[in-house]
Amino acid sequence: MLLPAILYVLALVGVPFLLAFVYAVGDVKVASTGYHFVGLANFESVLRSPAFRRALSNSIIFTVCSQALVLVGGNVLALVLKDAFRGRRLIRFLVLLPWVAPVSIGSIGWKWILDSLYSVINWVLIRLHLVPEFSPPMWLGQPTLAMISVILVHTWHVLPFATVILLAGWTAIPRDIPEACAVDGAGYFRTLFQITIPMLLPIINVALLFGIVFTFTDMTVIYILTRGGPYDTTQVLPSLAFFTGILGSDLAEGAAISIFLLPILVLVAWRMLRTAHRAEVG
Amino acid sequence: MAIVQTRALTKVFRQGSVGAVVDVDLESREGEFLVLLGPSGSGKTTLLRMIAGLEEPTSGQVLIGGEVVNDLTPRERRIAMVFQSYALYPHLTVLGNIVFPLKAQRVARPEREKKAQWAADLLGIGHLLSRRPRELSGGERQRVALARAIVREPTVFLLDEPLSNLDAKLRASAREELEQFQRRIGTTMIYVTHDQIEAMAMGDRVVVMHQGRVRQIGTPADVYDDPADTFVATFLGSPPMNLVETPEATVGFRPEHFLPAGGSASASPSTLSLSFRLDHEEYLGSERILYGRLEGGQFHGAKAVSRLPATFHPGAAHGTVLPFQVERRKLKFFDRETGTRREPVPMS
């Protein structure tokens, strides 16, 4: 009974996973026919490359910043959407939209919004005399601005998912709890920071861990908006692995880069399962 | 300590619909245990929540200690409330729960711990202070909720069905504990319940509510022995009061006053003799409930119930007609149209 499922998982997850390890310790290039074991040479070369170190720190910045924004934004949105108001259904639908729309299409839209010549943001800023007309900000062309842009667009994309998880958590808090706080004399912020948010921590944990996995392994937004540029300043590990292994046809080194993601993701996945388990028991 | 008053208090949840609470005028007495009793949906919890400040009245006033508190937040009203679910903070220890109201009042730490210790000792939960709510039994949770409520020394205690989550055995002992607790602290308590036994056992006075209105306010004996209308008459008592329609009035008598006629007493002018056709009986251990219909005269065909000590054996097959009687002074008369009490009509 389980056999088809096991075969399926082995074929789609197990084989590519093993292949990545095999490639990472070999000398495989796209279209090469032989295979020579080279030990940890690929890892050495990767670790020595400045591009890799840049990508690693970018990955961390990209994940930490976007998840911080997602947590704050998701909680604020969930708090707003929790209570009944006219048009709540429509607003909930609109909030969910960036998540259900294909990320590539959304990102292409953002590419135009942030374009160096046709940016609608710049058009507005120029009309409001907030930026000089002939040297508006190059949203995707200046290293810091480009990083901020990809972080914001990625946040825009994953925010709805976190919001939905957090909303479920917020609605699961019985009405009695905030009422008891009101009777006990606690104000809004005391209730929020001492009672409801601590009660919500397991759910926040789940949202955060999912968010880290989604962000750390994702390259769509970066690939479409900046291709890792300018000068690799927005390159992250997945995009670097793709550029090196597929577009640069150095499969072995690409595999070595992606294997660096593994320990981090294993750690996150382990914590995720533990939290989920504890939430169940609690 | 304070007196709670409501003046024409009304709550309408949706415009155009019937009010959840309609025109309620109440006045508690100093240090009183006042019970709001009614079936579910009678508005008792809404009334309590309006007193607490958790629900805004549509019209009318709430007064605590003679002061209108409509515009005050729950914390400014200096009330304490125990919720049906107890609403303990699950991530805090028992001590954390108890000191939370004091923290919110910015009471200094040594003072806080002294008061928490006092409240915990008062309720006998001193040994549980480092536990979390989910490690406690239902009865212990209730005591923690009470300790959290009392630690602030509120002027009024509001309790919303605090015993309904306990099993039957525990409920009886918790009821007694709660009564003693109230007597010890002497603070006015307003207690919501749908359980008439709780209301009768604990209340100094009982407010019977139905469809958002107060039907009767009185001591447990008042509302039981002298019900103001047919709703109160049938809501209190188990089995409820027998109600029999006559052309002039609805006549009521309690099942425990509907007794087999015995010897000479049956001839007395102070009793009303009735023929009772036994239909079936229930044996409840300490008592026996007889169900049947009245025969003959103006009551013919009316259903009636008799509650007798279990030691009484009807000794008759079902379907037989037995001589029964009610003392005339135990008969209650209600208006046929409105259901309210009216003056007695002569019965033959």
Side-chain angles (χ1 to χ4, degrees):
Chain A
M1 281 304 281
L2 275 175
L3 197 61
I6 292 171
L7 283 179
Y8 182 84
V9 169
L10 280 181
L12 282 168
V13 181
V15 172
F17 189 66
L18 276 181
L19 218 51
F21 275 103
V22 173
Y23 282 178
V25 292
D27 64 345
V28 210
K29 305 255 182 289
V30 170
S32 67
T33 47
Y35 176 87
H36 301 280
F37 179 76
V38 299
L40 298 176
N42 288 321
F43 290 97
E44 260 183 71
S45 130
V46 160
L47 275 173
R48 250 188 311 227
S49 109
F52 171 79
R53 275 178 265 161
R54 178 95 214 205
L56 183 63
S57 75
N58 279 347
S59 270
I60 292 168
I61 293 171
F62 183 62
T63 307
V64 169
C65 292
S66 63
Q67 285 313 300
L69 289 173
V70 163
L71 275 191
V72 174
N75 273 309
V76 170
L77 273 176
L79 271 173
V80 171
L81 294 175
K82 165 172 76 80
D83 301 311
F85 58 88
R86 191 182 288 269
R88 178 171 66 164
R89 271 163 175 258
L90 181 72
I91 302 289
R92 277 190 179 184
F93 170 73
L94 290 178
V95 164
L96 207 57
L97 215 49
W99 175 256
V100 290
V103 56
S104 47
I105 293 176
S107 301
I108 289 169
W110 279 106
K111 194 177 169 64
W112 284 107
I113 292 172
L114 300 167
D115 189 84
S116 55
L117 278 181
Y118 307 109
S119 165
V120 61
I121 297 174
N122 283 351
W123 187 86
V124 171
L125 291 177
I126 289 167
R127 291 298 174 286
L128 291 173
H129 300 289
L130 288 174
V131 297
E133 191 173 346
F134 298 106
S135 62
M138 305 270 276
W139 295 108
L140 302 174
Q142 289 156 308
T144 315
L145 273 185
M147 195 62 183
I148 293 174
S149 298
V150 291
I151 287 172
L152 287 180
V153 172
H154 183 75
T155 303
W156 168 84
H157 171 56
V158 296
L159 182 62
F161 182 68
T163 305
V164 169
I165 294 183
L166 293 170
L167 188 59
W170 280 104
T171 37
I173 291 183
R175 198 179 58 160
D176 286 358
I177 296 285
E179 286 184 351
C181 291
V183 171
D184 284 343
Y188 179 81
F189 288 105
R190 185 183 293 274
T191 305
L192 194 64
F193 288 112
Q194 293 190 3
I195 303 295
T196 41
I197 287 185
M199 275 180 77
L200 218 59
L201 266 186
I203 304 276
I204 291 178
N205 228 332
V206 169
L208 180 66
L209 294 171
F210 268 106
I212 290 174
V213 171
F214 284 147
T215 309
F216 211 75
T217 60
D218 192 77
M219 54 169 273
T220 328
V221 170
I222 285 169
Y223 183 72
I224 290 173
L225 287 186
T226 66
R227 306 221 160 211
Y231 337 109
D232 275 356
T233 48
T234 58
Q235 199 73 273
V236 287
L237 289 182
S239 61
L240 184 67
F242 180 76
F243 282 120
T244 312
I246 309 294
L247 299 186
S249 70
D250 189 348
L251 277 180
E253 207 162 308
I257 294 170
S258 23
I259 280 171
F260 269 100
L261 294 170
L262 191 68
I264 300 169
L265 290 176
V266 165
L267 199 71
V268 170
W270 174 73
R271 281 223 51 190
M272 195 191 270
L273 290 174
R274 242 179 54 136
T275 315
H277 177 71
R278 236 186 309 162
E280 256 174 61
V281 174
Chain B
M1 317 294 126
I3 288 172
V4 176
Q5 286 167 280
T6 66
R7 288 195 191 139
L9 200 61
T10 298
K11 176 74 186 180
V12 181
F13 279 110
R14 221 173 305 147
Q15 220 167 14
S17 68
V18 221
V21 171
V22 184
D23 262 343
V24 170
D25 289 293
L26 269 187
E27 185 169 342
S28 78
R29 292 176 190 152
E30 197 67 54
E32 179 181 43
F33 200 119
L34 186 68
V35 177
L36 306 182
L37 173 68
S40 55
S42 60
K44 54 195 192 303
T45 296
T46 307
L47 176 58
L48 191 79
R49 291 168 56 82
M50 284 194 283
I51 295 170
L54 294 172
E55 206 83 65
E56 202 180 328
T58 309
S59 63
Q61 291 179 318
V62 178
L63 294 89
I64 297 178
E67 198 184 328
V68 178
V69 296
N70 280 39
D71 295 328
L72 299 186
T73 60
R75 83 160 131 179
E76 291 162 338
R77 297 184 187 200
R78 308 236 311 121
I79 46 109
M81 184 156 168
V82 175
F83 291 81
Q84 185 170 4
S85 64
Y86 307 139
L88 298 179
Y89 309 129
H91 61 294
L92 298 180
T93 59
V94 169
L95 180 66
N97 269 278
I98 298 175
V99 297
F100 183 74
L102 299 175
K103 273 190 183 167
Q105 280 186 325
R106 301 205 164 76
V107 175
R109 180 183 275 269
E111 177 73 6
R112 232 158 51 196
E113 286 180 353
K114 218 172 71 189
K115 282 195 170 178
Q117 196 61 50
W118 163 76
D121 289 343
L122 187 68
L123 286 143
I125 50 172
H127 58 295
L128 302 174
L129 289 179
S130 59
R131 300 248 195 112
R132 281 179 205 278
R134 69 158 176 270
E135 300 163 325
L136 304 180
S137 70
E140 288 166 343
R141 282 179 204 187
Q142 192 215 3
R143 275 181 248 162
V144 175
L146 282 172
R148 187 177 71 184
I150 194 180
V151 76
R152 253 173 346 126
E153 296 171 48
T155 54
V156 181
F157 257 105
L158 306 176
L159 299 102
D160 186 7
E161 309 225 11
L163 302 186
S164 62
N165 285 336
L166 305 180
D167 57 54
K169 204 171 168 186
L170 196 55
R171 206 179 295 178
S173 64
R175 201 166 70 203
E176 204 185 309
E177 259 174 44
L178 202 55
E179 259 186 284
Q180 282 177 2
F181 171 72
Q182 199 264 343
R183 238 172 272 141
R184 221 175 313 152
I185 58 168
T187 307
T188 308
M189 269 198 191
I190 302 184
Y191 184 102
V192 162
T193 183
H194 65 268
D195 183 334
Q196 46 166 311
I197 298 176
E198 276 174 29
M200 301 288 287
M202 295 198 276
D204 290 322
R205 284 191 305 156
V206 178
V207 179
V208 185
M209 292 190 67
H210 182 49
Q211 295 178 340
R213 289 174 193 275
V214 171
R215 292 309 185 95
Q216 189 172 3
I217 305 177
T219 63
D222 285 342
V223 291
Y224 189 79
D225 296 336
D226 266 315
D229 60 20
T230 49
F231 171 77
V232 179
T234 50
F235 185 68
L236 285 166
S238 170
M241 185 179 264
N242 292 306
L243 289 180
V244 181
E245 300 278 333
T246 69
E248 297 88 38
T250 303
V251 182
F253 48 91
R254 293 268 171 213
E256 62 269 31
H257 299 142
F258 181 50
L259 304 168
S264 58
S266 57
S268 155
S270 66
T271 59
L272 178 69
S273 299
L274 297 163
S275 304
F276 181 54
R277 182 183 291 279
L278 184 61
D279 183 33
H280 67 277
E281 62 171 279
E282 281 172 2
Y283 172 70
L284 301 178
S286 65
E287 56 191 30
R288 199 181 292 276
I289 315 281
L290 307 183
Y291 296 87
R293 285 176 186 276
L294 300 177
E295 294 263 312
Q298 54 191 333
F299 294 153
H300 188 76
K303 278 188 182 171
V305 181
S306 167
R307 196 167 113 192
L308 302 168
T311 45
F312 173 83
H313 292 279
H318 296 170
T320 50
V321 178
L322 301 165
F324 264 62
Q325 65 181 25
V326 186
E327 272 188 74
R328 284 180 190 275
R329 62 187 182 89
K330 302 284 191 198
L331 295 176
K332 312 292 171 202
F333 298 87
F334 303 94
D335 190 283
R336 284 195 56 165
E337 301 285 309
T338 61
T340 51
R341 280 291 281 281
R342 53 161 291 164
E343 76 286 357
V345 279
M347 297 266 112
S348 53

